[in-house]
Amino acid sequence: AQSVTQLDSQVPVFEEAPVELRCNYSSSVSVYLFWYVQYPNQGLQLLLKYLSGSTLVKGINGFEAEFNKSQTSFHLRKPSVHISDTAEYFCAVSGTASKLTFGTGTRLQVTL
Amino acid sequence: GAVVSQHPSRVICKSGTSVKIECRSLDFQATTMFWYRQFPKQSLMLMATSNEGSKATYEQGVEKDKFLINHASLTLSTLTVTSAHPEDSSFYICSASPSGITYEQYFGPGTRLTVT
């Protein structure tokens, strides 16, 4: 079985400030990790994914995430956020042959 | 590339009627399609997985007779909510995979279903 915990339901941040959205996972097998963004009333857009290799993964829109196996974490970071980054962010985990399991989401609210 | 569309984007129907939602992969062939349900301010929950030409595999707790899934071609899957009730109101999102690998999914924009 696998699960994802997103520790923060909401993260308020000022524009141009850095942000970190936390994600921890549990799985009994090797995992693949993902971050998706969802804008209001829209589907999911893939920000980045970790399948193997370098533990630092760079994605779209200036986001990056680091896979930390010992801490079972995959936190999402951006050094300087923009108003347009306001959205819901979902961390997800998948195994080789298992379904994609999503966390409960983190609402990133960027204000001036 | 890898665009998935859904139609309609919003639908309102009366209690007791059925509604069909289409999911299309526009620029690739989808070996596997997935249907998710999302309640307000909650995460996505997988409802079922369908492979072209095969019966869908439903997740535990999902009524297969209520949520009929058809994956008749490599670019089209449909979800029919039969005898809809207000508690079926939700945001339904499909995804498609060209390879059948669960970690390679491309998501549609979602369909907002409201049952009155």
Side-chain angles (χ1 to χ4, degrees), chain A residues 32 34 36 38 41-44 49 51 90 94-100 102-104, chain B residues 10 36 38 41-44 46 59 91 93 101-105 107-110 112:
Chain A
Y32 306 112
F34 309 82
Y36 290 90
Q38 184 180 37
N41 296 310
Q42 294 186 30
L44 300 184
K49 61 184 176 186
L51 302 181
F90 291 96
S94 171
T96 304
S98 61
K99 64 184 181 181
L100 203 55
F102 290 88
T104 51
Chain B
R10 292 175 179 268
Y36 295 85
Q38 185 181 30
K41 300 189 185 301
Q42 293 189 30
S43 189
L44 281 76
L46 180 65
E59 295 297 302
F91 195 52
I93 301 176
I101 302 174
T102 56
Y103 60 72
E104 186 183 22
Q105 294 183 41
F107 287 81
R112 174 76 60 192

Side-chain angles (χ1 to χ4, degrees), chain B residues 1-115:
Chain B
V3 179
V4 177
S5 69
Q6 278 185 245
H7 178 78
S9 57
R10 292 175 179 268
V11 58
I12 300 173
C13 70
K14 291 188 175 180
S15 188
T17 63
S18 296
V19 62
K20 180 184 286 186
I21 301 169
E22 292 187 349
C23 176
R24 293 181 184 273
S25 56
L26 299 184
D27 51 3
F28 65 98
Q29 292 187 325
T31 304
T32 306
M33 288 188 168
F34 305 86
W35 286 95
Y36 295 85
R37 183 173 181 177
Q38 185 181 30
F39 290 103
K41 300 189 185 301
Q42 293 189 30
S43 189
L44 281 76
M45 299 300 294
L46 180 65
M47 299 175 64
T49 302
S50 71
N51 292 296
E52 185 263 340
S54 303
K55 287 186 178 181
T57 301
Y58 291 81
E59 295 297 302
Q60 191 172 5
V62 177
E63 300 176 61
K64 58 182 66 177
D65 293 332
K66 181 167 189 61
F67 298 99
L68 301 179
I69 291 172
N70 184 286
H71 191 165
S73 78
L74 284 172
T75 59
L76 173 64
S77 177
T78 60
L79 167 67
T80 301
V81 183
T82 63
S83 186
H85 288 90
E87 56 266 30
D88 299 324
S89 297
S90 192
F91 195 52
Y92 293 88
I93 301 176
C94 75
S95 70
S97 173
S99 60
I101 302 174
T102 56
Y103 60 72
E104 186 183 22
Q105 294 183 41
Y106 301 96
F107 287 81
T111 295
R112 174 76 60 192
L113 170 63
T114 303
V115 185

